[in-house]
Amino acid sequence: MAVEEARQGQPDPNHLQVKRLNRRWGAVKLPKFGWVRFRWTRPLGGTVRNATVLRDGGRWYIAFCVEDGLPEAAPNGQPPVGVDRGVVNAVTCSDGWAKDRELVTPGEAKRLRRLQQQLARQKKGSKRRAVTKAKLARLNARIRNRRNDLCVWVANRLTRRHGLVVVEDLNIKDMTAFAKGTIEAPGRQVRQKAGLNRAILNKGWSRLVLALEHAGRYHGCSVVMVNPAYTSQTCSACGHCASENRESQAVFRCVACGQLDHADVNAAKNILAAGLAVTGRGDLAGRRSVKRQPPVTEVG
């Protein structure tokens, strides 16, 4: 199929025609390409609005954006939860539940490094370089599929068991910015920062938020983003904020009240408290409004 390797969107639904050929195969009529066969892997579930053709790992895929016409599910009435995204554990919740997955095996990491070194030595435009690039693409696609599977699995579990999921409103683009600097102002600990950037991007933080918002629509769960400032340094028990509270990556010990907890669980509790305060004031962002919750009146 002679199409561009970059993603190509077709915004006009009148230009798209989809028909089913048999149980396993279908065909779609794309502008400028005509009829293209594809493997029918799941029901469309609605009216097709546009299609995206892309190439990933040496394979061609087509994705349909459909309008299912279903309203958002009613609130499920489940308890809220705060979620802390990390590097050691991809997800840690305020109730102590954590989830992580090995995305790259030691053998795959060794092979990935060897292929990258081989690619750097090969001449640009050569056939051997193209073969090496194809091998790298297939390996990276396998790793990317595992990351997507982790995010979708976690989002499905959280939105089914909780009615409100609170996450930090992180600026991941700035967090993973290159720290090399310039000749006049060189960066500090550049190699350590590069390793941290790879670890953050490897966990798929942004992909997790998208999966939560998508799954929450069908399971009656709301997703709220809160200001991430000082959530890892504040004690969830007494509210004391100090950098000394964080003894290590995993240990949180408050210097004021002596509260001992896992550092990620403590941060998730602070995230949950901030999310409940935001929703109580009617806000849906990290900013706080001047509104206050109505006073509680006791019934005689």
Side-chain angles (χ1 to χ4, degrees), residues 47-58:
T47 304
V48 177
R49 293 305 182 189
N50 59 64
T52 301
V53 178
L54 66 151
R55 187 180 184 183
D56 185 17

Side-chain angles (χ1 to χ4, degrees), residues 177-254:
F178 195 44
K180 184 176 182 179
T182 60
I183 298 178
E184 294 77 12
R188 299 174 57 186
Q189 297 182 337
V190 178
R191 296 191 64 182
Q192 292 85 341
K193 183 62 170 61
L196 177 62
N197 292 349
R198 287 193 297 269
I200 292 175
L201 296 174
N202 187 49
K203 296 300 180 180
W205 289 359
S206 298
R207 180 70 180 84
L208 176 61
V209 175
L210 292 176
L212 285 170
E213 293 175 346
H214 175 75
R217 177 174 178 266
Y218 296 97
H219 298 148
C221 177
S222 301
V223 180
V224 174
M225 312 286 288
V226 298
N227 190 347
Y230 305 109
T231 54
S232 61
Q233 300 179 5
T234 303
C235 178
S236 59
C238 68
H240 179 70
C241 181
S243 59
E244 294 81 10
N245 291 343
R246 191 77 179 262
E247 288 189 0
S248 64
Q249 184 278 328
V251 179
F252 183 94
R253 188 189 303 272
C254 180

Side-chain angles (χ1 to χ4, degrees), residues 13 35 138 158 163 178:
W35 287 99
R138 287 194 294 269
L158 292 179
F178 195 44

Side-chain angles (χ1 to χ4, degrees), residues 18-224:
V18 182
K19 64 180 180 180
R20 190 153 194 165
L21 303 178
N22 50 49
R23 186 171 63 89
R24 293 188 176 183
W25 292 93
V28 56
K29 188 175 183 181
L30 298 175
K32 301 180 181 179
F33 298 120
W35 287 99
V36 179
R37 294 182 63 191
F38 64 91
R39 182 72 176 267
W40 199 296
T41 57
R42 65 187 64 182
L44 293 179
T47 304
V48 177
R49 293 305 182 189
N50 59 64
T52 301
V53 178
L54 66 151
R55 187 180 184 183
D56 185 17
R59 298 179 179 180
W60 290 99
Y61 298 88
I62 183 167
F64 296 101
C65 179
V66 300
E67 183 178 352
D68 54 18
L70 299 176
E72 292 189 6
N76 57 24
Q78 298 294 327
V81 68
V83 175
D84 178 69
R85 291 169 287 175
V87 172
V88 176
N89 288 325
V91 174
T92 304
C93 298
S94 56
D95 56 4
W97 182 80
K99 179 65 177 179
D100 196 30
R101 177 181 178 181
E102 183 184 57
L103 302 178
V104 185
T105 64
E108 288 175 338
K110 183 177 180 180
R111 183 166 182 261
L112 185 65
R113 183 170 58 253
R114 184 175 67 250
L115 288 175
Q116 290 172 340
Q117 294 173 349
Q118 183 177 343
L119 184 70
R121 294 192 300 265
Q122 291 173 334
K123 183 179 179 181
K124 292 185 178 180
S126 64
K127 293 183 178 180
R128 291 186 177 181
R129 183 182 175 89
V131 172
T132 304
K133 289 178 65 176
K135 293 179 180 179
L136 274 171
R138 287 194 294 269
L139 182 56
N140 286 323
R142 189 183 309 156
I143 298 171
R144 187 162 54 252
N145 289 339
R146 293 175 188 158
R147 184 184 303 113
N148 292 338
D149 179 73
L150 172 65
C151 293
V152 172
W153 188 91
V154 169
N156 184 66
R157 184 188 188 277
L158 292 179
T159 54
R160 283 179 178 270
R161 299 189 179 186
H162 301 281
L164 174 68
V165 178
V166 187
V167 294
E168 295 174 295
D169 189 10
L170 300 174
N171 191 339
I172 300 176
K173 182 178 180 181
D174 290 345
M175 292 177 63
T176 56
F178 195 44
K180 184 176 182 179
T182 60
I183 298 178
E184 294 77 12
R188 299 174 57 186
Q189 297 182 337
V190 178
R191 296 191 64 182
Q192 292 85 341
K193 183 62 170 61
L196 177 62
N197 292 349
R198 287 193 297 269
I200 292 175
L201 296 174
N202 187 49
K203 296 300 180 180
W205 289 359
S206 298
R207 180 70 180 84
L208 176 61
V209 175
L210 292 176
L212 285 170
E213 293 175 346
H214 175 75
R217 177 174 178 266
Y218 296 97
H219 298 148
C221 177
S222 301
V223 180
V224 174

